[in-house]
């Protein structure tokens, strides 16, 4: 049993003072506002808010951040970036994946994310042959979570084809490819890795790469299994116009439309990106209860397009955020980038949320609540029974002087960023102190070694 006493905290969706928080294992067991700090509790200054779930990450891509910002001979695009990404991942070893992921996860925690949905698809060795343990790489992801204490929802990804209509995979995709049979074993082993990784709150779900990589019969079979296991289901959808065109040429339907009509998506689903939607698709997606998994920094970096957050929100749609390519890791900046994309498109201010309310708070609440839904975790709100996922903002920072409550959230999101994150608990584990992950130095050395090796190889 741990006892923490917070000067000010956002509990059960309201700001309260002098909150005594009791944690048993990974969960919150009691929250008492207006309480004195008992002698056996740690007194924490600052503003405590629930940690945000990062609903979409490809951790390995952290090590190529900054290496794809040179224009090629032709038009640079998502697709030319993807070619570089394939070249980059071709030689990654299991040790490399573990070192990169562990450092990225430490950074996620320092950035205010307390859990991650790891959309994991680099399964096989560089020739495309399975490792002796078919979930070797998944095991390296669970090890990274253990090294850092980050809450993990591991989403092993099924990937079988190179394009809509069952096109054969390209050579660059050979490390991803499974059949339904081989994937069943990989899933089972992944579950074991999650169960045995030493984090009581690690769990798994299912990722289907995209309608380009998964055929309808495969999607139906795996979605059935996920439903029986109560797993969340994630799929990339409609990130690029070319992908929409390919889907229409194949099926007569746009990707989100196809998923609504043919996959009967519901609240267990997370459609990652969902950038290119008609009004009818946006309404249908909102009605389904599925989460739109937005990755605003990566979507900006890759030139994907602008998500229709205003109309989607008006239809009651649910949005969460993910760090995807990890080109820049910051919960605050993901939310800021999302809001700014809407302002730039509409030539207006304060687009997400409602009149008279803090925009930062609206962004934060949406991402906290729907992020938790998307990756199947009891988090996103500080109340009894939830994970003890807590982020404390540094009220001693000059940017936060005189800023209380929602104004502090607005300041974190629009003015500051990671430098305002001071203390972080994930599942009751106190892993960031004074703005730094407790294992940062130990994890930085192997990460830097991989960075040097890979930069030389590209
Ligand atoms: C991925 N990343 O799987 O890493 C994808 C690109 C694809 C993003 N969607 C590859 N941002 O979609 O084929
Ligand atoms: Zn992705």
């Amino acid at each position: 049993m741990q006892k923490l006493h917070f000067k000010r905290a956002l509990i059960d969706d309201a700001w309260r003072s002098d909150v005594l928080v009791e944690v048993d294992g990974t969960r919150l067991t009691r929250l008492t506002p207006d309480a004195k700090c008992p002698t056996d509790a740690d007194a924490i200054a600052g503003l405590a808010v629930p940690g945000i779930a990062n609903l979409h990450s490809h951790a390995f891509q952290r090590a190529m951040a900054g290496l794809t910002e040179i224009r090629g001979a032709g038009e640079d695009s998502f697709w030319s970036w993807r070619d570089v990404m394939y070249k980059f991942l071709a030689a990654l070893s299991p040790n490399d994946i573990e070192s990169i992921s562990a450092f990225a996860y430490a950074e996620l925690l320092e950035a205010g994310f307390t859990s991650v949905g790891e959309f994991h698809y680099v399964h096989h060795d560089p020739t495309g042959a399975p490792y002796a343990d078919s979930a070797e790489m998944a095991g390296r992801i669970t090890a990274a979570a253990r090294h850092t204490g980050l809450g993990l929802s591991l989403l092993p990804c099924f990937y079988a084809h190179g394009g809509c209509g069952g096109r054969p995979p390209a050579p660059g995709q050979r490390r991803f490819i499974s059949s339904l049979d081989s994937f069943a074993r990989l899933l089972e082993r992944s579950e074991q890795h999650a169960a045995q990784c030493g984090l009581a709150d690690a769990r798994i779900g299912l990722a289907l790469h995209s309608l380009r990589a998964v055929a309808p019969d495969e999607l139906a079979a795996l979605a059935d299994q996920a439903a029986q296991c109560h797993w969340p289901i994630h799929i990339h959808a409609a990130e690029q116009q070319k992908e929409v065109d390919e889907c229409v040429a194949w099926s007569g339907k746009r990707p989100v439309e196809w998923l609504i009509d043919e996959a009967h998506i519901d609240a267990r689903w997370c459609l990652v990106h969902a950038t290119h939607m008609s009004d009818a698709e946006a309404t249908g997606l909102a009605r389904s209860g599925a989460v739109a998994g937005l990755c605003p920094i990566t979507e900006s970096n890759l030139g994907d397009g602008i998500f229709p957050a205003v109309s989607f929100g008006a239809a009651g749609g649910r949005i969460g955020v993910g760090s995807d390519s990890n080109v820049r890791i910051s919960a605050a900046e993901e939310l800021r980038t999302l809001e700014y994309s809407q302002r730039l498109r509409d030539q207006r201010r304060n687009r997400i949320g409602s009149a008279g309310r803090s925009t930062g708070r609206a962004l934060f609440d949406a991402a906290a609540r729907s992020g938790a839904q998307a990756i199947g975790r009891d988090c996103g709100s500080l109340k009894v029974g939830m994970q003890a996922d807590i982020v404390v903002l540094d009220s001693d920072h000059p940017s936060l002087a005189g800023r209380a409550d929602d104004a502090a959230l607005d300041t974190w999101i629009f003015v500051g960023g990671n430098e305002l994150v001071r203390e972080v608990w994930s599942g009751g584990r106190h892993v960031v102190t004074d703005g730094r992950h407790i294992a940062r130095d130990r994890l930085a050395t192997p990460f830097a070694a991989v960075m040097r090796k890979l930069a030389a190889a590209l």
Side-chain angles (χ1 to χ4, degrees):
M1 167 74 77
Q2 279 188 74
K3 289 186 188 170
L4 308 166
H5 184 272
F6 295 100
K7 229 26 263 134
R8 190 84 178 151
L10 182 59
I11 59 168
D12 221 349
D13 302 326
W15 288 103
R16 305 297 300 264
S17 291
D18 298 308
V19 182
L20 179 63
V21 171
E22 293 168 58
V23 180
D24 198 4
T26 67
R27 305 254 173 182
L28 300 167
T29 48
R30 194 194 301 227
L31 296 110
T32 317
D34 306 313
K36 279 215 187 73
C37 183
T39 51
D40 60 345
D42 286 333
I44 318 292
L47 291 133
V49 297
I52 294 186
N54 173 0
L55 56 66
H56 189 73
S57 157
H58 309 289
F60 77 87
Q61 291 174 12
R62 169 64 182 87
M64 58 183 279
L67 288 180
T68 63
E69 309 304 328
I70 301 170
R71 189 165 64 202
E75 277 289 340
D76 258 36
S77 68
F78 172 92
W79 306 100
S80 56
W81 169 86
R82 194 176 75 156
D83 289 339
V84 179
M85 191 264 281
Y86 287 175
K87 220 164 109 191
F88 176 80
L89 67 79
L92 288 181
S93 70
N95 279 338
D96 295 343
I97 291 269
E98 184 171 334
S99 302
I100 299 166
S101 304
F103 191 74
Y105 288 178
E107 290 185 312
L108 290 181
L109 285 156
E110 291 176 348
F113 289 116
T114 43
S115 56
V116 70
E118 179 66 31
F119 194 112
H120 168 63
Y121 61 87
V122 183
H123 299 307
H124 311 309
D125 81 9
T127 70
Y131 290 102
D133 170 2
S134 62
E136 171 75 37
M137 290 295 206
R140 301 313 186 109
I141 300 288
T142 62
R146 181 184 63 244
H147 296 320
T148 54
L150 181 69
L152 176 67
S153 292
L154 175 65
L155 308 169
C157 175
F158 181 75
Y159 198 122
H161 312 286
C164 290
R167 287 221 312 263
Q173 297 165 334
R174 66 169 85 88
R175 301 192 74 173
F176 321 152
I177 302 302
S178 302
S179 64
L180 282 178
D181 282 346
S182 67
F183 190 68
R185 282 192 298 282
L186 197 157
L187 257 184
E188 205 175 303
R189 281 294 298 144
S190 300
E191 243 187 312
Q192 288 165 3
H193 280 294
Q196 293 163 5
C197 76
L199 292 179
D201 54 343
R203 45 176 54 46
I204 84 161
L206 172 70
L208 304 168
H209 187 274
S210 55
L211 291 177
R212 289 171 276 129
V214 182
D217 55 329
E218 295 160 341
L219 182 147
L222 289 168
D224 264 0
Q225 181 183 356
Q228 276 160 29
C229 299
H230 305 286
W231 289 339
I233 310 175
H234 287 225
I235 186 165
H236 290 123
E239 181 175 11
Q240 285 278 322
Q241 186 57 45
K242 180 170 165 223
E243 175 191 351
V244 175
D245 298 343
E246 184 181 326
C247 190
V248 171
W250 159 65
S251 69
K253 293 187 184 202
R254 303 162 59 85
V256 175
E257 180 188 11
W258 194 98
L259 288 163
I260 293 168
D261 292 352
E262 311 292 333
H264 312 294
I265 53 172
D266 60 21
R268 284 176 310 101
W269 286 73
C270 175
L271 271 54
V272 182
H273 309 302
T275 313
H276 299 281
M277 292 193 287
S278 65
D279 291 345
E281 286 176 297
T283 310
L285 179 58
R287 283 210 192 108
S288 76
V291 173
L294 311 181
C295 307
I297 294 175
T298 296
E299 289 156 7
S300 303
N301 185 270
L302 298 181
D304 288 343
I306 299 177
F307 178 81
V310 176
S311 54
F312 188 63
R318 302 175 192 182
I319 53 169
V321 293
S323 63
D324 193 352
S325 68
N326 296 305
V327 62
R328 165 74 184 148
I329 292 177
S330 171
E333 284 182 36
E334 294 292 357
L335 299 174
R336 183 195 311 156
T337 304
L338 168 60
E339 168 66 23
Y340 281 179
S341 68
Q342 310 298 303
R343 294 187 189 188
L344 287 164
R345 180 197 55 212
D346 298 343
Q347 303 178 44
R348 294 278 185 281
R349 301 193 70 252
N350 292 308
R351 304 307 292 147
I352 291 172
S354 46
R357 270 196 81 205
S358 146
T359 300
R361 175 71 188 275
L363 288 158
F364 182 84
D365 283 353
R369 194 171 309 125
S370 303
Q373 174 185 320
I375 65 169
R377 305 184 76 81
D378 297 326
C379 65
S381 172
L382 300 179
K383 54 183 169 201
V384 171
M386 291 283 183
Q387 291 284 130
D389 290 357
I390 307 171
V391 169
V392 177
L393 301 179
D394 180 5
S395 53
D396 294 334
H397 194 288
S399 289
L400 286 178
R403 303 286 161 90
D405 305 348
D406 288 355
L409 275 180
D410 281 332
T411 305
W412 179 31
I413 291 165
F414 292 104
V415 183
N418 298 348
E419 73 272 23
L420 296 187
V421 173
R422 184 151 172 180
E423 307 290 324
V424 179
W425 284 259
S426 170
R429 302 172 289 268
H430 190 184
V431 287
V432 172
T433 61
D434 228 352
R436 288 174 69 84
H437 189 275
I438 52 174
R440 166 178 268 276
D441 294 340
R442 185 156 46 78
L443 300 173
T445 308
F447 172 71
V450 179
M451 289 281 281
R452 282 187 210 100
K453 181 179 97 176
L454 293 172
L458 247 193

